[in-house]
Amino acid sequence: MPQPDLTLTPAGPALAPRYHGRHTAAPSSPNSPTHTRTHTHTHTRTPRNAYLRLFAVPGARAFVVGNLIARLPMGMFGVSAVIMIAAAYDSYALAGGVTATGMAAGALTAPWIARLVDRYGQARIAVPATAYAVLGHLVLLLCVHEKAPVWALFATTALTATSPNTGGMSRARWAHLLKGDRDALHTANAFEQATDELCFMLGPVVAALLCSTLFPEAGTLVGAALFLTGVLIFAAQRSTEPPVSPRTAAGSPLRVPGMFPLLAVFLATGAVFGSMEVVTVAYVDGPLAGPVLALQAAGSCAAGLLYGHARRSVRLRTCLAAMAALMTMPLLAASTGSLLALAAGLLLAGMATAPTMVTGMGLVQRLTPASQLNEGMTLAVTALLGGIAAGSATGGWAADHAPFASFGFLVPAAAAGVALALCAATRVGGRA
């Protein structure tokens, strides 16, 4: 199938019309009494599928492949560290504390790294930042392998906090390439969210498999290699890299009207994710916890891809209302005591996740100035991580003090209700 043409418009590159005619003057016949002009039509087809049109954009496939390789380890490092540390020190509490410290350090440094990316360019900042983070993971691995003092684990895990927001950089490239085409950008955001779900669904499985079949440090080693390789491939695609914007005195994107309430909604939404993971693991309490929990990510991934085909005129409040309703499904399913019912409930609940995140990230892109896009999206991710941490702690408390088996599933349902209430109260969002 021929590739679609790109044409330059005042808003940026855009796909040419599906059919266009090229008018060619035919040479006049010397024996013809008159000169006749004929028209030769060539037909250029663009793919009907929105995702095929997306990847027909020049350079898109190359940076997507690199970003996929770099993003998979984001779902591997946490599980790998827990298995590695628990195997060496025989303490899951220590393993959880070390990984939580790394997450907290990353949440503090991520906006700063993103600001440098906006100011100096993705390749110039992402490559050294990734190399430094990979070095941190390797130093942590050596400390665990040599059973260094506990304080050394907490100190070295902070070295991994320079990891750039690979998902945010990919979304920034789509925003640059598809400037002026909101429908195509909506599809790109849906693809990116589905990619997030897929990586966080497969990453822990790959990490657990490597650590259990090879050696406890294998997950960290493979994750570090994939992370560095993926970022190098991604950064090498300079033709699709957004241009560096001149430094402005705009300050933090937090000052943009509507941004702070939107981040509050992201914080509550993150609590949904964090609490659901913990209470599900506590409820299942066995080897089936991982596969059952993965169904939520699978439902979200499928819904995200379908949502990419839908019209983008959906309010964030509508998505959050759907999430609040569907998050009651695991609670009702767990009340039956059936693991199969819980699996179905999680699958349904997950279907509200991706549309909500796609709509929310689309709002971040609309609110944030182009010169601060990476920083704005990273602030959204930081809010999500903060919510995940709070939700995990609350979900763990609910699981330990549950008066009945399904009590813990009240937490994600309540968090979804809080996110909806915040959105309605602040009137953030409007149309996506």
Side-chain angles (χ1 to χ4, degrees):
M1 180 179 294
Q3 298 295 326
D5 293 334
L6 283 179
T7 182
L8 292 178
T9 70
L15 291 175
R18 183 176 176 185
Y19 298 104
H20 64 87
R22 183 181 302 152
H23 301 284
T24 309
S28 300
S29 171
N31 298 324
S32 173
T34 59
H35 295 283
T36 304
R37 181 179 297 272
T38 60
H39 301 279
T40 302
H41 297 276
T42 59
H43 303 279
T44 301
R45 292 177 178 269
T46 58
R48 291 181 178 272
N49 185 281
Y51 292 103
L52 293 181
R53 291 198 301 271
L54 200 64
F55 294 116
V57 176
R61 297 178 185 178
F63 86 74
V64 165
V65 169
N67 195 266
L68 284 174
I69 296 173
R71 212 183 301 189
L72 180 62
M74 296 299 101
M76 296 176 59
F77 283 134
V79 173
S80 298
V82 168
I83 296 175
M84 178 175 66
I85 295 171
Y89 292 83
D90 195 26
S91 173
Y92 280 99
L94 174 62
V98 171
T99 54
T101 300
M103 182 180 295
L108 292 175
T109 59
W112 176 65
I113 298 294
R115 180 175 296 184
L116 292 176
V117 169
D118 284 326
R119 186 173 300 173
Y120 299 106
Q122 293 185 353
R124 187 174 177 184
I125 299 300
V127 172
T130 300
Y132 192 82
V134 166
L135 179 63
H137 284 290
L138 296 179
V139 171
L140 177 62
L141 183 151
L142 290 175
C143 288
V144 173
H145 184 73
E146 298 298 327
K147 292 189 177 180
V150 169
W151 64 264
L153 305 186
F154 287 95
T156 55
T157 192
L159 298 177
T160 66
T162 62
S163 297
N165 180 9
T166 52
M169 290 192 298
S170 184
R171 288 177 172 91
R173 291 204 179 204
W174 286 122
H176 166 63
L177 294 174
L178 304 174
K179 188 182 301 181
D181 191 345
R182 291 183 61 189
D183 289 332
L185 185 57
H186 168 74
T187 302
N189 284 334
F191 169 77
E192 290 296 326
Q193 186 59 39
T195 300
D196 282 339
E197 301 295 343
L198 183 64
C199 289
F200 280 98
M201 181 173 59
L202 295 179
V205 176
V206 173
L209 183 64
L210 289 170
C211 293
S212 59
T213 57
L214 298 178
F215 47 91
E217 298 87 357
T220 299
L221 277 176
V222 173
L226 289 174
F227 188 29
L228 183 58
T229 301
V231 169
L232 287 174
I233 295 174
F234 177 80
Q237 314 309 314
R238 303 301 292 268
S239 64
T240 56
E241 181 177 352
V244 176
S245 300
R247 184 175 180 179
T248 65
S252 171
L254 287 172
R255 299 181 181 179
V256 176
M259 178 63 77
F260 193 81
L262 182 57
L263 293 181
V265 172
F266 272 101
L267 186 70
T269 305
V272 176
F273 307 150
S275 58
M276 183 64 80
E277 180 176 353
V278 172
V279 299
T280 300
V281 171
Y283 180 88
V284 178
D285 192 26
L288 291 177
V292 170
L293 191 60
L295 286 174
Q296 183 183 2
S300 180
C301 182
L305 292 175
L306 290 174
Y307 189 59
H309 285 284
R311 296 183 62 85
R312 53 178 170 78
S313 55
V314 179
R315 294 180 183 274
L316 179 61
R317 189 185 307 178
T318 303
C319 293
L320 289 170
M323 173 180 280
L326 290 178
M327 283 299 159
T328 63
M329 295 294 103
L331 173 63
L332 297 175
S335 300
T336 66
S338 169
L339 195 59
L340 186 61
L342 177 60
L346 287 170
L347 183 67
L348 289 173
M351 290 181 178
T353 301
T356 302
M357 294 306 304
V358 170
T359 304
M361 283 297 184
L363 286 171
V364 172
Q365 291 175 341
R366 290 170 57 190
L367 290 174
T368 308
S371 61
Q372 298 175 301
L373 191 54
N374 283 290
E375 185 179 357
M377 287 188 290
T378 301
L379 284 171
V381 173
T382 301
L384 279 172
L385 290 176
I388 289 172
S392 298
T394 306
W397 180 90
D400 285 343
H401 298 83
F404 50 90
S406 60
F407 177 78
F409 289 99
L410 286 169
V411 178
V418 170
L420 175 60
L422 286 171
C423 183
T426 59
R427 297 182 180 181
V428 67
R431 290 192 178 276

